[in-house]
Amino acid sequence: MKLKELQSCLQQVDVFEEPKVLLEQYPTSAHIAACMLYTIHNTFDDIENKLVADLGCGCGVLSIGSAVLNAGLCVGFDIDQDALDIFRRNSEEFELTNIDMVQCDICSLRAFQKKFDTVIMNPPFGTKHNKGIDMQFLKTALSMARSSVYSLHKTSTREHIQKKANDWKVKMDVIAELRYDLPASYKFHKKKSVDVEVDFIRFCIT
Ligand SMILES: C[S@@+](CC[C@H](N)C(=O)[O-])C[C@H]1O[C@@H](n2cnc3c(N)ncnc32)[C@H](O)[C@@H]1O
């Protein structure tokens, strides 16, 4: 599937109706999601026929993209039932059968150790009284994956993440530097959107 085709397919995915500030519910744009998944699929062959987990799946854009790219099965995990209800509607509309979802708190999830080939995620960045949640997501992701983890992180945290990756003996490569356009979905945002510099990172479990 071509990148453009994947992007226009993901533009059909419905997003949060009433985003919850404290859960950092902003959707990955169809453009960014398509670029991420296209690279994971075409450069690293980490989606097709693989068991894929999507942590903090929200309304499911990354899961649906993985399923469309023929993941063996993609399982989305999120704490919020409202988001999962939208995810379920989305996957029904796409008529996907290689998709499933689990409601849970990623911060206390201890199951699924090494049960997935690939973990993908756009985690909360930890800017809403939840400092460190990005690293908790990463730790859980690394415990669940047998092969690789793909994640978005604020570029300002790169050094810290590199240090942790060294401690955990995991190889880390910044695949792309993105400008992430956060929509002004929250009342306290004065501007229409805020640009945040974000790294798209691949962690390789050896
Ligand atoms: C930045 S959004 C990404 C949503 C979706 N993956 C996407 O790419 O559009 C982060 C997601 O993490 C979820 N989340 C926040 N805290 C969580 C937690 N402790 N456990 C599980 N999910 C959580 C939110 O509900 C939200 O759906």
Side-chain angles (χ1 to χ4, degrees):
M1 180 182 268
K2 290 195 178 130
L3 176 61
K4 276 253 161 83
E5 267 178 84
L6 181 60
Q7 181 172 325
S8 62
C9 173
L10 296 183
Q11 272 158 354
Q12 314 306 314
V13 174
D14 287 339
V15 297
F16 302 106
E17 281 155 10
E18 292 177 26
K20 295 173 185 155
V21 180
L22 294 178
L23 293 176
E24 297 194 48
Q25 289 185 336
Y26 36 82
T28 310
S29 69
H31 174 66
I32 289 183
C35 290
M36 287 171 71
L37 295 167
Y38 188 84
T39 306
I40 298 170
H41 178 53
N42 286 282
T43 308
F44 300 104
D45 192 21
D46 273 335
I47 294 184
E48 194 169 355
N49 297 324
K50 305 286 188 212
L51 198 46
V52 178
D54 172 11
L55 305 193
C57 59
C59 305
V61 68
L62 295 174
S63 293
I64 287 168
S66 301
V68 165
L69 291 172
N70 293 322
L73 177 70
C74 182
V75 184
F77 295 81
D78 205 285
I79 199 167
D80 183 33
Q81 189 58 51
D82 294 334
L84 291 175
D85 288 344
I86 300 172
F87 181 8
R88 186 172 301 285
R89 281 206 311 268
N90 278 326
S91 41
E92 283 166 4
E93 268 159 35
F94 276 80
E95 298 182 355
L96 294 164
T97 51
N98 54 342
I99 211 159
D100 209 342
M101 59 205 72
V102 175
Q103 186 193 13
C104 67
D105 181 351
I106 292 299
C107 301
S108 55
L109 185 66
R110 299 286 172 267
F112 303 105
Q113 303 275 316
K114 300 292 163 214
K115 289 287 186 282
F116 292 89
D117 299 303
T118 307
V119 176
I120 53 177
M121 59 181 186
N122 176 5
F125 290 144
T127 51
K128 298 279 169 277
H129 309 291
N130 53 355
K131 195 165 184 282
I133 195 171
D134 50 337
M135 298 313 287
Q136 289 187 53
F137 264 64
L138 181 55
K139 207 168 177 200
T140 304
L142 290 167
S143 76
M144 293 168 70
R146 286 191 286 259
S147 173
S148 339
V149 171
Y150 296 86
S151 185
L152 296 180
H153 294 273
K154 283 172 95 170
T155 303
S156 58
T157 63
R158 189 187 296 176
E159 228 173 90
H160 176 64
I161 296 174
Q162 182 67 69
K163 247 187 227 156
K164 286 287 181 192
N166 293 347
D167 290 349
W168 296 335
K169 305 206 177 346
V170 171
K171 189 172 174 295
M172 146 178 168
D173 289 303
V174 176
I175 304 176
E177 295 177 352
L178 317 171
R179 242 169 218 291
Y180 196 105
D181 185 32
L182 286 183
S185 32
Y186 303 126
K187 287 191 185 101
F188 58 78
H189 282 158
K190 292 199 180 78
K191 294 184 190 160
K192 265 196 172 164
S193 66
V194 197
D195 261 3
V196 183
E197 287 180 356
V198 170
D199 288 345
F200 174 34
I201 305 181
R202 176 174 197 251
F203 300 89
C204 191
I205 296 150
T206 46

